[in-house]
Amino acid sequence: MTISVYSKPSCVQCTATKKALERAELEFQIFDVTEDQDAYDTVMKLGYLQAPVVIAGDEHWSGFQPDRIAALAERAAS
């Protein structure tokens, strides 16, 4: 499963999300919405106004959500 994190600099929730994904040993790509217009457009098309936005397969969410990251880790381990 591909995991993409749409982030911005100096974002506490973005940093927490990236650290949680690293602790869960999940591979992910980071896109900076302040520098990448395509990344910004992707987030806007999904209707999100808050960073980070995480897209994992067909699932996506905004903000730091450790329960969802744990669920991803559990599925990846299966």
Side-chain angles (χ1 to χ4, degrees), residues 1-6 27-29 42 46 54-61 72 75:
M1 166 186 352
T2 301
I3 301 172
S4 301
V5 179
Y6 294 83
E27 292 185 27
F28 60 96
Q29 297 174 307
T42 297
L46 291 172
V54 178
I55 301 175
D58 295 333
E59 182 179 5
H60 51 84
W61 68 84
L72 288 178
R75 280 190 298 240

Side-chain angles (χ1 to χ4, degrees), residues 1-73:
M1 166 186 352
T2 301
I3 301 172
S4 301
V5 179
Y6 294 83
S7 181
K8 63 182 185 175
S10 303
C11 168
V12 173
Q13 289 193 37
C14 300
T15 301
T17 296
K18 290 183 265 188
K19 286 183 179 182
L21 288 166
E22 289 169 355
R23 278 193 303 274
E25 297 181 357
L26 294 168
E27 292 185 27
F28 60 96
Q29 297 174 307
I30 300 171
F31 299 93
D32 184 339
V33 297
T34 65
E35 294 185 6
D36 183 337
Q37 186 64 45
D38 290 336
Y40 178 81
D41 292 344
T42 297
V43 169
M44 297 279 61
K45 284 179 190 173
L46 291 172
Y48 293 113
L49 300 174
Q50 175 188 357
V53 172
V54 178
I55 301 175
D58 295 333
E59 182 179 5
H60 51 84
W61 68 84
S62 177
F64 176 53
Q65 298 198 24
D67 55 328
R68 290 185 122 172
I69 293 170
L72 288 178

